[in-house]
Amino acid sequence: MALMNILVYPDAPLTEVALPIVKFGPELKKLAEDMLETMDAGNGVGLAGPQVGLRQQIFVLCEPDGEPMCLINPEIVEMDGKAYGEEGCLSLPELYAPVPRATRIRVRAQDVEGNPLDFEAHDFLARIIQHEYDHLQGKLFPDRLDAMTRESLLDEWAEIRPRILAEA
Ligand SMILES: [Zn+2]
């Protein structure tokens, strides 16, 4: 296993739409393991392909019960409810804001071996999945906020970013 470098906003491909994964096999498994290890090392609860420089539809996350999960080519096919919850992002370190998300979603995806998945997620798990899914659309959590809050967060980020890059 190996730690990967985590990109920070607005490095490419963070703001680009990721492409479907077509090749399943040991390399993809190794990638998912490396991403999980990188997520843990950064004390994150989720990490998406574009954050490690891959324009691919993959993300990993840690379920609220501690189980790791890897979703490939995910789609959110149903969404209900709305709640605000504090979010941060490994690609926007030290930045936090309450973000509105659906409280129930239904997800279709593939697991790391290519098997089809179809399940419902609620509350915190639904929030993580929506955050990571957004990464695959080139969106980060400030994009989910009203224009004024987004602007002020990105101003804050412009001040934090040089120090974060210097520390990396
Ligand atoms: Zn994120």
Side-chain angles (χ1 to χ4, degrees):
M1 300 225 280
L3 286 184
M4 304 176 82
N5 184 36
I6 299 178
L7 302 179
V8 295
Y9 181 81
D11 288 1
L14 280 171
T15 57
E16 294 166 16
V17 177
L19 304 170
I21 287 176
V22 291
K23 193 166 168 250
F24 291 83
E27 277 175 35
L28 190 63
K29 267 191 189 163
K30 165 89 167 69
L31 171 62
E33 281 168 18
D34 287 348
M35 285 177 67
L36 277 166
E37 193 189 359
T38 304
M39 177 190 83
D40 283 339
N43 293 314
V45 291
L47 185 69
Q51 295 182 276
V52 289
L54 301 170
R55 207 180 153 194
Q56 295 178 16
Q57 291 183 16
I58 176 172
F59 60 74
V60 296
L61 59 89
C62 182
E63 291 188 59
D65 64 6
E67 278 296 301
M69 182 192 272
C70 174
L71 296 182
I72 311 283
N73 303 331
E75 284 178 278
I76 298 179
V77 294
E78 288 173 26
M79 296 176 106
D80 290 300
K82 183 181 171 183
Y84 282 80
E86 191 91 334
E87 290 188 23
C89 180
L90 292 173
S91 294
L92 288 165
E94 300 180 19
L95 226 55
Y96 301 91
V99 180
R101 299 286 187 188
T103 52
R104 183 198 73 92
I105 59 173
R106 184 165 160 218
V107 181
R108 288 200 191 118
Q110 287 168 281
D111 69 13
V112 78
E113 284 164 347
N115 303 306
L117 301 173
D118 187 333
F119 62 96
E120 280 196 10
H122 298 261
D123 304 318
F124 189 59
L125 179 58
R127 175 173 298 279
I128 304 172
I129 292 174
Q130 288 169 84
H131 177 117
E132 299 312 323
Y133 178 80
D134 272 357
H135 275 300
L136 305 185
Q137 318 307 316
K139 287 196 172 79
L140 285 85
F141 77 84
D143 296 319
R144 291 290 176 192
L145 306 172
D146 65 85
M148 248 176 65
T149 315
R150 179 176 187 274
E151 283 306 305
S152 80
L153 266 186
L154 292 182
D155 285 349
E156 206 182 315
W157 173 242
E159 285 175 26
I160 297 171
R161 189 173 186 272
R163 179 172 47 80
I164 297 285
L165 289 176
E167 285 169 3

